[in-house]
Amino acid sequence: MRPVTEWNPASYVTLADVEPAIALTPLDGRYRSAAAPLVDHLSEPALNRARLFVEVEWFIHLCATAAVPGTRDLTVEEIALLRAIPAEFGADGIREHAEIEKVTVHDVKAIEYYIKRRIEATSLAPLSELVHFACTSEDINNLSYALMVKGAVQQAWLPAADAVVTQVADLARSTAATPMLSRTHGQTATPTTLGKELAVLAHRLRRQLTRIEGQEYLGKINGATGTFGAHTAAVPTTDWVSVSRSFVEGIGLTWNPLTTQIESHDWQAELYADVARFGRILHNLATDVWTYISLGYFAQAAVAGAIGSSAMPHKINPIRFENAEANLEISAALLDTLASTLVTSRLQRDLTDSTTQRNIGVAFGHSLLAIDNVRRGLGALSVNGAALAADLDSSWEVLAEPIQSAMRAAAIAGVPGMENPYERLKDLTRGHVIDAAAIGEFVDGLELPSEVKERLAALTPGTYVGLAEQLVADYLA
């Protein structure tokens, strides 16, 4: 008998048949709690609920505007009945819609029939043909997606994104005066403060949020090729452009007057590019903080019972930031694909956008998961001042810059003996181990004005931080 055997899932229990259903994607399984706020906005049932909303409100709008002869003012009770259809769309409704779609093999037509079932024995029955009146499926879908994405961004994604930026900004303010050795190209460089470097990232992230907060969400309801053909053929006397515009704007969207069968999705591409860019900046923060942890600048809080390594008991790994990196990369890739695919539709319509848009929730889900991980990671950090100070104290060569700059200024002012300042400091420091004594000796040998010499003599790597603290106070929103 062989000591090992081959992997053979076909001979095991079929997981697809296990109830409750086993999730295929991690967002609906392992990471469900982080992505859950998006379910009410970007899931398939959320799409159908939005479709019900759009169909119902179009019905109400047609009556309110008397756009179609034979309509009438609806009663308060009738309007309430209609609006209850999307409001009460739950587990039973989801199943019923699915059963209708099995017959229609068309999801939007199933929505139309679902609504008609609910008004067939009511006072609204004579008006039932107002459901989906003069609409192509894309009239309903584009408005539904716009409402869904707007809700997801404004109610779920933006609050989480704003919270992580606020967290970074708060950490920046609390460490604005904490000196830190810079590393340009990975080499020791002009000192800064920890807070100033975090403030740079917070400022970058905040700019992207401002763009996202100002995003337009466009919509149209103008028929099969954007001409109002069916509308004007049915009722040529109605100002359908005005009816369309007032409807789109009335449900909280920006009206798009010129489209093919589909709304062009350009606004989606703009939004997804901004969200992806926010994610890439957040990725930059994650990798920088990861590096600061590896340098010992940040310590991570030990969580009782948690294990960092299955082999090395001492480890507390920066897993939150690593998880964030990976999910931000997945999110950005999906958002890039959405943005590039959705802006193109062959001639007046092709269906590539339909299946593509069903991945919007996945893209935002990975982004939301990453934000959650960054927030948890930041919450477990504490500043290791001793490590920061030790690095600074072993890097006196960084003072070559202020000394040569002071010498240049003195030379311009006519002070003798200030020739070739850069080259002299280069010879002193490059490739050599420099300490406080070496710097002090060099400064002492210069014929600088006494106030300049005193200022340089008092300078240390830990105090050579320029206006870093002030910049955080003055410019971090």
Side-chain angles (χ1 to χ4, degrees), residues 37-38 41 149-167 206 209 212-213 217 278 364 367-368 371-372 375:
L38 294 172
H41 301 284
V149 174
K150 181 180 180 181
V153 170
Q154 294 184 350
Q155 297 174 35
W157 189 87
L158 267 174
D162 182 75
V164 76
V165 176
T166 298
Q167 195 173 2
R206 184 64 68 190
L209 290 190
I212 294 166
E213 287 164 354
Y217 300 83
F278 175 93
F364 276 95
S367 177
L368 203 59
I371 289 169
D372 179 69
R375 293 201 65 198

Side-chain angles (χ1 to χ4, degrees), residues 142 218-222 228 244 248 253-259 262-267:
N142 89 94
L218 274 63
K220 69 95 180 181
I221 187 163
N222 53 14
F228 295 97
S244 166
V248 172
L253 303 175
T254 299
W255 182 61
N256 187 346
L258 288 169
T259 77
I262 69 167
E263 196 288 319
S264 305
H265 305 326
D266 296 342
W267 69 265

Side-chain angles (χ1 to χ4, degrees), residues 1-79:
M1 180 180 292
R2 290 183 298 167
V4 296
T5 190
E6 294 180 359
W7 170 252
N8 184 20
S11 68
Y12 303 155
V13 171
T14 303
L15 295 179
D17 295 335
V18 173
E19 292 292 344
I22 293 177
L24 178 61
T25 73
L27 291 178
D28 288 315
R30 183 180 184 88
Y31 304 128
R32 174 73 174 187
S33 61
L38 294 172
V39 172
D40 272 341
H41 301 284
L42 297 175
S43 64
E44 188 74 12
L47 170 59
N48 287 321
R49 182 169 62 184
R51 287 164 165 165
L52 289 170
F53 171 85
V54 172
E55 293 276 17
V56 161
E57 292 302 320
W58 179 238
F59 186 113
I60 294 170
H61 189 67
L62 290 173
C63 291
T65 56
V68 180
T71 58
R72 57 175 173 78
D73 290 337
L74 300 180
T75 67
V76 172
E77 292 76 17
E78 288 171 331
I79 293 173

Side-chain angles (χ1 to χ4, degrees), residues 72 119 122-129:
R72 57 175 173 78
I119 65 174
T122 74
S123 60
L124 293 171
L127 300 174
S128 65
E129 290 308 318

Side-chain angles (χ1 to χ4, degrees), residues 6 33 69 78 83 128 159 197 209 243 260 264 269 308 323 355 374 386 439:
E6 294 180 359
S33 61
E78 288 171 331
R83 287 178 172 161
S128 65
E197 300 311 306
L209 290 190
V243 171
T260 60
S264 305
N323 186 299
T355 190
V374 172
I439 291 292

Side-chain angles (χ1 to χ4, degrees), residues 167-178 194-195 198 298 383 472 476:
Q167 195 173 2
V168 176
D170 288 345
L171 185 56
R173 292 187 188 93
S174 68
T175 57
T178 303
L194 178 57
L198 292 170
F298 283 123
V383 178
V472 175
L476 179 59

